[in-house]
């Protein structure tokens, strides 16, 4: 699938949503500080575990559900790290992405890490530099800021992965 075709598939999925679309995910690290990422079959590049909120579902609940559905871990997520608004030029409508912190995985959880969702090709814990390089550019910027917010205790507001009006 070409990048253009993958973009068309994602655009069609998101474009069917009414109003502002909400997506949510989590920054999950292991003990050595590697970032957990998943590889969707329906588009190029890796992503954070997460996805679209269901009708009437709040972002925190959506992030927990998506992490469970994608990698089989029922994690009590932490605080909000980033709220990132993707402009309508990307998916055909505004998508608001919420990124939450997560507890550090145990060695056993990392050894058993796998993609359990059929829409995923795989899941991995990657060194930060490798994960950022494997993510689409806009997502990479979002994750880089989320990792900084995890360290500073702040929360950032982004538009297309770029900080607006505050920390980032």
């Amino acid at each position: 699938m070409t990048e253009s075709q993958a973009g068309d598939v994602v655009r069609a999925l998101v474009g069917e949503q009414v109003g502002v679309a909400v997506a949510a995910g989590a920054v999950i690290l292991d003990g050595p500080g590697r970032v957990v990422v998943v590889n969707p079959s329906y588009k190029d590049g890796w992503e954070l575990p997460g996805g679209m909120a269901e009708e009437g579902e709040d972002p925190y609940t959506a992030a927990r559900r998506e992490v469970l559905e994608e990698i089989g871990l029922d994690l009590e997520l932490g605080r909000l790290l980033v709220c990132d608004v993707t402009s309508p030029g990307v998916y055909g409508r505004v998508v608001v992405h919420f990124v939450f912190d997560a507890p550090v995985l145990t060695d056993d959880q990392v050894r058993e890490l796998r993609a359990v969702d059929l829409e995923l090709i795989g899941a991995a814990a990657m060194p930060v530099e490798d994960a950022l390089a494997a993510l689409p550019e806009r997502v990479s910027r979002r994750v880089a800021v989320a990792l900084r917010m995890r360290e500073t205790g702040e929360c950032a507001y982004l538009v297309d992965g770029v900080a607006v009006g505050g920390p980032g």
Side-chain angles (χ1 to χ4, degrees):
M1 177 181 303
T2 69
E3 185 172 332
S4 176
Q5 290 169 323
D8 290 344
V9 169
V10 174
R11 183 183 300 269
L13 291 170
V14 173
E16 292 176 3
Q17 305 280 328
V18 175
V20 172
V22 173
V27 169
I28 305 169
L29 303 177
D30 68 0
R34 296 177 299 183
V35 179
V36 173
V37 290
V38 296
N39 190 355
S41 61
Y42 54 89
K43 62 181 173 176
D44 295 330
W46 292 72
E47 290 281 346
L48 286 179
M52 301 302 292
E54 295 177 352
E55 175 94 23
E57 186 176 43
D58 70 87
Y60 181 85
T61 301
R64 285 198 67 191
R65 176 186 50 75
E66 286 285 346
V67 168
L68 179 61
E69 289 177 1
E70 291 187 347
I71 59 174
L73 295 174
D74 187 11
L75 300 176
E76 187 69 36
L77 300 180
R79 66 186 183 79
L80 180 65
L81 300 172
V82 166
C83 177
D84 186 9
V85 177
T86 299
S87 61
V90 177
Y91 297 120
R93 65 176 315 158
V94 171
V95 179
V96 181
H97 302 265
F98 294 85
V99 180
F100 295 92
D101 198 3
V104 174
L105 298 184
T106 66
D107 291 343
D108 287 341
Q109 287 172 315
V110 174
R111 272 192 296 279
E112 296 172 13
L113 184 63
R114 69 195 188 300
V116 297
D117 188 323
L118 296 177
E119 293 180 343
L120 300 177
I121 298 167
M126 294 183 183
V128 171
E129 302 77 26
D130 295 345
L132 293 177
L135 297 166
E137 184 179 345
R138 186 182 61 267
V139 178
S140 180
R141 289 192 305 260
R142 179 186 308 144
V143 172
V145 172
L147 289 168
R148 285 195 301 276
M149 297 303 98
R150 191 174 185 277
E151 295 302 315
T152 66
E154 296 175 301
C155 180
Y157 174 72
L158 313 175
V159 175
D160 292 323
V162 178
V164 176

